[in-house]
Amino acid sequence: EVKLLESGGGLVQPGGSLRLSCSVSGFTFADFYMSWIRQPPGKAPEWLGMIRNTANLYSTDYNPSVKGRFTISRDNTQDILYLQMDTLRTEDTAIYYCARGLWVLFDHWGQGVMVTVSS
Amino acid sequence: DVQMTQSLSYLAASPGESVSISCEASKSISNFLAWYQQKPGEPYKLLIQSGSTLQSGTPSRFSGSGSGTDFTLTIRSLEPEDFGLYYCQQYYEKPLTFGSGTKLEIK
């Protein structure tokens, strides 16, 4: 069974940093693209970026809205996906999801983790 | 960015009825359109890709249609478990973008 579990969320002050993790199981992690998606309360989901698989040398793409502040990485030895978030703003408050990619579709999602940016 | 518009934010229908949920893209996206279902306490579920191709496990009462800019998700003979939020997503170009969602409530 495919499982994705996000962790690392919480309350952070504006300007601060936070690193989210997504632990996966039930599939060969290194073979798949992975993405981060967020959803502010009551708003549409927003794709943040992706990291490709081994065959594509773990290259990354980012939404311009977060490029330069957010960094996606992966540890294929521990089957963990990461999202490093720097210079956080109040508008980054959202539920953050990791998702397994079927290229640029998302066939499995985690339950999400809440990130609140507030002073 | 390609803007995805789901003009209906809320829809209520009774079991057994059929409903249609629309999604409009701000430019032609061919058939690079997916539909997702989100239910409280559950992960997002990919229902349909390529505008009309059902994912494995998606009940046959679900169907998708459209190409270019206008797309429709139709659910025939609604079941109580079909309540939830439905989102469209374009994958024609990056950044990948989602619609704002349509909440389907079962009467």
Side-chain angles (χ1 to χ4, degrees):
Chain A
E1 182 187 4
V2 172
K3 292 185 178 180
L4 299 89
L5 182 63
E6 304 92 343
S7 61
L11 175 65
V12 60
Q13 292 190 336
S17 296
L18 203 62
R19 188 177 80 160
L20 304 183
S21 300
C22 171
S23 297
V24 312
S25 62
F27 64 99
T28 304
F29 180 59
D31 288 348
F32 284 84
Y33 289 30
M34 298 294 297
S35 279
W36 286 97
I37 298 156
R38 69 182 178 186
Q39 187 168 20
K43 295 189 176 181
E46 179 185 27
W47 173 75
L48 301 177
M50 66 167 34
I51 186 165
R52 295 179 178 83
N53 56 9
T54 305
N56 290 278
L57 305 179
Y58 314 123
S59 58
T60 53
D61 277 336
Y62 294 95
N63 191 319
S65 66
V66 300
K67 191 172 184 178
R69 293 194 303 126
F70 289 11
T71 303
I72 298 174
S73 61
R74 62 194 299 164
D75 182 341
N76 290 328
T77 64
Q78 297 195 65
D79 293 352
I80 301 176
L81 176 72
Y82 296 105
L83 177 66
Q84 176 68 40
M85 303 186 291
D86 298 318
T87 320
L88 283 161
R89 308 165 180 164
T90 55
E91 55 265 36
D92 294 318
T93 294
I95 298 173
Y96 285 73
Y97 299 93
C98 61
R100 190 178 83 166
L102 281 181
W103 182 43
V104 285
L105 298 177
F106 315 111
D107 69 339
H108 289 277
W109 297 56
Q111 296 273 19
V113 65
M114 185 70 203
V115 171
T116 303
V117 184
S118 174
S119 55
Chain B
D1 299 3
V2 179
Q3 304 301 317
M4 305 302 293
T5 301
Q6 293 180 244
S7 55
L8 208 55
S9 59
Y10 173 82
L11 179 59
S14 300
E17 291 183 345
S18 295
V19 297
S20 293
I21 297 171
S22 63
C23 174
E24 181 180 359
S26 60
K27 62 181 277 189
S28 177
I29 58 170
S30 184
N31 67 337
F32 294 100
L33 191 283
W35 288 98
Y36 297 87
Q37 178 192 58
Q38 185 194 29
K39 297 173 67 172
E42 297 183 15
Y44 274 76
K45 180 182 179 183
L46 174 62
L47 298 173
I48 287 172
Q49 62 172 293
S50 301
S52 60
T53 302
L54 267 61
Q55 285 298 107
S56 174
T58 300
S60 59
R61 62 181 179 273
F62 289 83
S63 63
S65 63
S67 66
T69 61
D70 295 306
F71 300 87
T72 302
L73 172 69
T74 299
I75 313 172
R76 294 180 294 103
S77 299
L78 274 170
E79 298 284 345
E81 62 264 28
D82 296 335
F83 76 93
L85 276 154
Y86 291 85
Y87 295 91
C88 58
Q89 177 227 331
Q90 67 81 19
Y91 52 101
Y92 178 76
E93 65 181 37
K94 297 185 185 76
L96 310 173
T97 49
F98 292 81
S100 55
T102 298
K103 184 176 183 180
L104 174 60
E105 183 178 284
I106 306 298
K107 287 182 181 177

